[in-house]
Amino acid sequence: MRRSGLKPLLVLFAHRRLFVAAGFSVAKLLDTFSVVKQPDVPDTDTSRFTFLLFDNGASSGGVNVTLTPLEFRPDDGEHDDPGSAFAIDMSRRISVSKYKAPKPVIATKAFREDGEQITSFEQLRPSTDGVDGNTQPRRVYLVADGLEFVWPFISVGYNQTISLKVVQPAAGEGAPAVVLESMSER
């Protein structure tokens, strides 16, 4: 919900110098502007998505994370790519591995279980590919700089449908998506 009165108060402070410089007092300023209560508008940033966060290629030891759209990309201004900023921020929550790299290792990419590289908050929306169409939390894998995404081994016989944004079926448009099946742990 919007906090009524907050925005007009900020506007008043933003314009205070202008009116003081013109010889208006704060009392005159308050008389000049009337604070109008804005109607209650539903806050669109209240959706939260929970997902499991893993190191690249891992299938155990995941951490549950719940984020809002505002938490997806901290607005620190350091990174132009929201996906990279997300991966860097998530690197604080788990141990990211890279062979012979000094700790801590910072991820620069994050991928969903279906192979899509994460660039937006909406990609964290729970999957509807669960049993009987039930939703299930996404699995998110952090990938260190210079490495490629490694498909995790979940269990023998596990089938993972690959996103059509990652691999197009060889039979063309309308063909079923590619499915990756785990045959063995080795």
Side-chain angles (χ1 to χ4, degrees):
M1 300 265 191
R2 250 192 178 148
R3 295 182 199 121
S4 59
L6 182 62
K7 190 172 181 181
L9 184 61
L10 293 173
V11 172
L12 292 175
F13 280 115
H15 294 293
R16 183 174 178 205
R17 286 190 180 169
L18 174 68
F19 283 98
V20 171
F24 287 96
S25 67
V26 173
K28 178 69 173 172
L29 179 63
L30 291 173
D31 287 340
T32 305
F33 290 98
S34 62
V35 177
V36 178
K37 182 180 181 201
Q38 297 180 353
D40 290 334
V41 177
D43 188 356
T44 57
D45 291 337
T46 58
S47 57
R48 296 178 180 274
F49 295 149
T50 299
F51 56 93
L52 288 165
L53 187 64
F54 294 91
D55 186 23
N56 191 18
S59 59
S60 62
V63 174
N64 276 319
V65 177
T66 301
L67 292 181
T68 65
L70 294 175
E71 295 168 320
F72 173 74
R73 180 184 179 201
D75 192 16
D76 57 12
E78 290 182 30
H79 304 282
D80 292 333
D81 174 22
S84 178
F86 168 73
I88 291 167
D89 187 48
M90 291 297 106
S91 295
R92 296 179 299 147
R93 297 177 184 246
I94 65 167
S95 177
V96 178
S97 61
K98 184 175 181 180
Y99 184 66
K100 292 190 176 183
K103 298 286 182 187
V105 174
I106 304 299
T108 55
K109 297 176 278 190
F111 291 84
R112 297 188 327 184
E113 74 282 351
D114 62 0
E116 274 191 39
Q117 187 169 353
I118 296 174
T119 58
S120 73
F121 177 73
E122 280 301 312
Q123 290 176 290
L124 299 173
R125 181 178 298 281
S127 169
T128 56
D129 294 339
V131 177
D132 298 327
N134 293 328
T135 61
Q136 59 189 27
R138 291 282 181 191
R139 293 187 323 271
V140 175
Y141 299 91
L142 297 181
V143 180
D145 191 37
L147 298 180
E148 298 297 325
F149 172 58
V150 175
W151 293 98
F153 174 82
I154 305 297
S155 62
V156 173
Y158 182 82
N159 291 319
Q160 175 60 62
T161 303
I162 309 304
S163 170
L164 293 173
K165 295 178 181 177
V166 177
V167 176
Q168 293 292 317
E173 194 172 320
V178 173
V179 175
L180 184 65
E181 181 177 352
S182 298
M183 304 299 286
S184 161
E185 197 170 347
R186 294 184 186 260

